[in-house]
Amino acid sequence: MTIDGHCDARFTAVREDLSANLDSGTELGASIVVDIDGHTAVDLWGGYRDTERRLPWESDTITNVWSTTKMVTCLAALMLIDRGLLDPDAPVASYWPEFATAGKEDIAIRNLLSHTSGVSGWDRPFSEENLYDWELSTSRLAAQAPWWDSRTTSGYHAASQGHLIGEVVRRVTGTSLRQFVADEIAGPLGADFQIGAAESDWDRIADVVPPPPPTDDGVPDPTLVRRRTFLGPLVQASSANTPAWRAADMGALNGHGNARSVARILSVISRGGTVDGVRLLRPETIDTIFEEQSDGVDLALGIPLRFGLGFALPQPESMPYIPDGKVCFWGGWGGSLTVLHPDSNLTISYVMNRMGPGIIGSDRAEQYVRASYAALA
């Protein structure tokens, strides 16, 4: 299978892995970027946008990147912290007064960023379509009680984090999260990324291919947080290919981009806060990302995770291929993954349309990340 783009000679193994996965059908279409302090060592894409294999994955193909969107949403919050407009230790209710109900008076901004607020989903009944209604969905979150008490225990805010942070962004700036990302992040950086997708871009979107049906993994859920999170609401992967999904503002779920645009944005963290003269963060703000907020079995995902301020930190038991040190990462349902390594100014980003099993990472993501680090060894 033809792969387009380029890679430095030492990253040949990354190209070979992508080629093998495309040839075997493990991948349908995908893009991979490795950026080292502004040098694009890898920028590869290949495969198809459609299951009929009629539409090739092009240089400007974009796709729904699921929870990789959360990384951009958290960057938006960090930018407001950097500007002194948001205090991570302040109660959410100091910016969003309606949130101070049902025992949430003391939940802080940092709890939204680190998945420790206790509001990891919506009390049922709550439908996928309700996600698209900003006023309804945020008012429901403001009214409900947290599902657990500890503010140092994470429960992955699978669909809710974008609405929670997005409403704070709206209260502070007067601008929707979607517009803030367009005006303050993607626009200045020239990054082909958007929350949702404009209709004018639909003809270049690679539709996502849903993952295999989940199996009973036997993870105990004594608090029922796992069930409540993923059923409140139950999101169908195929919904990402619909007009209603693309029209919505969902900072946890419906960002559209590719490896190049995701790497362009998030390399801000790897490169000290400034990319090609555009400064989004001070180095001191970047350092706060690596302050551990929680470490333990996540109540929603059922695996050991460590969270800093807005991003996951290395946890060898659950993500053994993410190296230890000053590294942060996250990814999206089905396997997309972005790894940020400020000490080496390294950004690795992988985006695909054929979803694999699981929420965070995949065998393919592991393969590309390991090959990238091996090239740098």
Side-chain angles (χ1 to χ4, degrees):
M1 171 131 356
T2 300
I3 294 177
D4 291 310
H6 73 274
C7 72
D8 291 356
R10 60 178 168 162
F11 288 92
T12 299
V14 177
R15 177 191 284 272
E16 291 174 346
D17 287 343
L18 177 59
S19 179
N21 288 333
L22 288 167
D23 286 342
S24 70
T26 306
E27 293 279 19
L28 178 60
S31 58
I32 303 172
V33 164
V34 178
D35 178 278
I36 308 169
D37 197 20
H39 170 66
T40 306
V42 176
D43 183 6
L44 297 172
W45 63 90
Y48 296 94
R49 286 180 279 155
D50 61 325
T51 54
E52 294 79 17
R53 298 174 179 264
R54 291 195 297 259
L55 302 171
W57 187 295
E58 307 278 8
S59 173
D60 68 345
T61 294
I62 57 175
T63 192
N64 190 86
V65 298
W66 295 107
S67 290
T68 293
T69 316
K70 290 181 173 73
M71 303 178 81
V72 180
T73 294
C74 289
L75 172 61
L78 288 165
M79 289 168 61
L80 296 179
I81 291 170
D82 190 89
R83 296 173 185 180
L85 300 175
L86 201 57
D87 179 354
D89 293 314
V92 174
S94 62
Y95 306 98
W96 178 5
E98 296 88 341
F99 196 78
T101 53
K104 301 195 304 303
E105 296 85 353
D106 297 328
I107 291 173
I109 294 298
R110 69 172 61 251
N111 300 129
L112 304 186
L113 286 162
S114 60
H115 303 271
T116 58
S117 77
V119 189
S120 61
W122 281 263
D123 286 337
R124 290 180 283 168
F126 191 80
S127 69
E128 185 181 291
E129 289 71 24
N130 292 152
L131 283 173
Y132 310 154
D133 184 329
W134 188 264
E135 292 300 327
L136 171 67
S137 55
T138 54
S139 64
R140 287 281 301 272
L141 290 172
Q144 73 184 54
W147 292 345
W148 66 94
D149 294 330
S150 170
R151 300 284 76 86
T152 57
T153 301
S154 72
Y156 182 50
H157 293 18
S160 63
Q161 191 185 48
H163 289 73
L164 291 165
I165 294 176
E167 182 62 9
V168 172
V169 169
R170 189 180 76 84
R171 297 292 178 120
V172 170
T173 68
T175 301
S176 69
L177 175 64
R178 182 176 189 163
Q179 197 62 49
F180 184 91
V181 169
D183 294 344
E184 303 283 347
I185 299 177
L189 291 173
D192 186 10
F193 184 93
Q194 54 192 306
I195 294 182
E199 189 170 354
S200 58
D201 293 316
W202 290 1
D203 62 352
R204 62 189 182 96
I205 292 177
D207 283 352
V208 300
V209 179
T215 57
D216 182 3
D217 55 14
V219 175
D221 188 10
T223 63
L224 298 179
V225 169
R226 183 181 179 87
R227 176 175 292 273
R228 294 175 79 176
T229 299
F230 290 105
L231 292 181
L234 177 64
V235 173
Q236 302 291 339
S238 57
S239 297
N241 303 328
T242 65
W245 182 275
R246 293 170 180 170
D249 189 341
M250 298 186 292
L253 297 168
N254 76 333
H256 282 72
N258 50 36
R260 187 186 308 114
S261 61
V262 170
R264 174 76 174 171
I265 289 171
L266 293 170
S267 67
V268 164
I269 292 168
S270 306
R271 297 170 64 187
T274 301
V275 169
D276 296 341
V278 178
R279 187 185 75 81
L280 299 187
L281 298 173
R282 290 174 297 124
E284 297 86 347
T285 305
I286 293 172
D287 287 341
T288 66
I289 292 170
F290 300 93
E291 297 172 0
E292 182 179 286
Q293 305 297 309
S294 66
D295 183 7
V297 175
D298 183 271
L299 295 178
L301 293 177
I303 60 174
L305 287 174
R306 291 175 63 226
F307 280 110
L309 201 64
F311 299 82
L313 306 179
Q315 213 296 338
E317 187 176 347
S318 57
M319 300 287 282
Y321 54 94
I322 303 293
D324 200 8
K326 192 176 182 180
V327 178
C328 64
F329 68 95
W330 200 244
W333 186 19
S336 63
L337 187 69
T338 297
V339 181
L340 308 171
H341 199 153
D343 284 347
S344 56
N345 305 119
L346 172 69
T347 303
I348 303 169
S349 186
Y350 158 62
V351 167
M352 76 298 137
N353 59 344
R354 185 187 295 285
M355 298 170 65
I359 300 293
I360 301 303
S362 67
D363 292 344
R364 286 171 272 160
E366 177 175 1
Q367 192 176 12
Y368 305 137
V369 169
R370 286 191 184 279
S372 297
Y373 273 107
L376 293 164

PDB file of all heavy atoms in Angstrom, residues 19 41 126 243:
ATOM      1  N   SER A  19       2.994   0.735   7.100  1.00  0.00           N
ATOM      2  CA  SER A  19       2.759   0.050   5.833  1.00  0.00           C
ATOM      3  C   SER A  19       2.238  -1.370   6.058  1.00  0.00           C
ATOM      4  O   SER A  19       1.277  -1.802   5.409  1.00  0.00           O
ATOM      5  CB  SER A  19       4.059   0.009   5.025  1.00  0.00           C
ATOM      6  OG  SER A  19       3.886  -0.671   3.804  1.00  0.00           O
ATOM      7  N   ALA A  41      10.098  15.154  11.890  1.00  0.00           N
ATOM      8  CA  ALA A  41      10.878  13.975  11.529  1.00  0.00           C
ATOM      9  C   ALA A  41      10.023  12.942  10.814  1.00  0.00           C
ATOM     10  O   ALA A  41      10.530  12.170   9.990  1.00  0.00           O
ATOM     11  CB  ALA A  41      11.495  13.356  12.789  1.00  0.00           C
ATOM     12  N   PHE A 126     -30.594  10.271  30.254  1.00  0.00           N
ATOM     13  CA  PHE A 126     -29.863  11.271  29.495  1.00  0.00           C
ATOM     14  C   PHE A 126     -29.405  10.603  28.215  1.00  0.00           C
ATOM     15  O   PHE A 126     -28.694   9.595  28.250  1.00  0.00           O
ATOM     16  CB  PHE A 126     -28.665  11.798  30.281  1.00  0.00           C
ATOM     17  CG  PHE A 126     -28.028  13.015  29.675  1.00  0.00           C
ATOM     18  CD1 PHE A 126     -28.573  14.274  29.861  1.00  0.00           C
ATOM     19  CD2 PHE A 126     -26.892  12.901  28.891  1.00  0.00           C
ATOM     20  CE1 PHE A 126     -27.991  15.405  29.294  1.00  0.00           C
ATOM     21  CE2 PHE A 126     -26.299  14.006  28.324  1.00  0.00           C
ATOM     22  CZ  PHE A 126     -26.853  15.270  28.529  1.00  0.00           C
ATOM     23  N   PRO A 243     -24.435  14.324  10.790  1.00  0.00           N
ATOM     24  CA  PRO A 243     -24.445  15.787  10.825  1.00  0.00           C
ATOM     25  C   PRO A 243     -24.660  16.359  12.222  1.00  0.00           C
ATOM     26  O   PRO A 243     -24.035  17.367  12.588  1.00  0.00           O
ATOM     27  CB  PRO A 243     -25.604  16.147   9.888  1.00  0.00           C
ATOM     28  CG  PRO A 243     -25.682  15.012   8.916  1.00  0.00           C
ATOM     29  CD  PRO A 243     -25.360  13.797   9.746  1.00  0.00           C
TER      30      PRO A 243
END
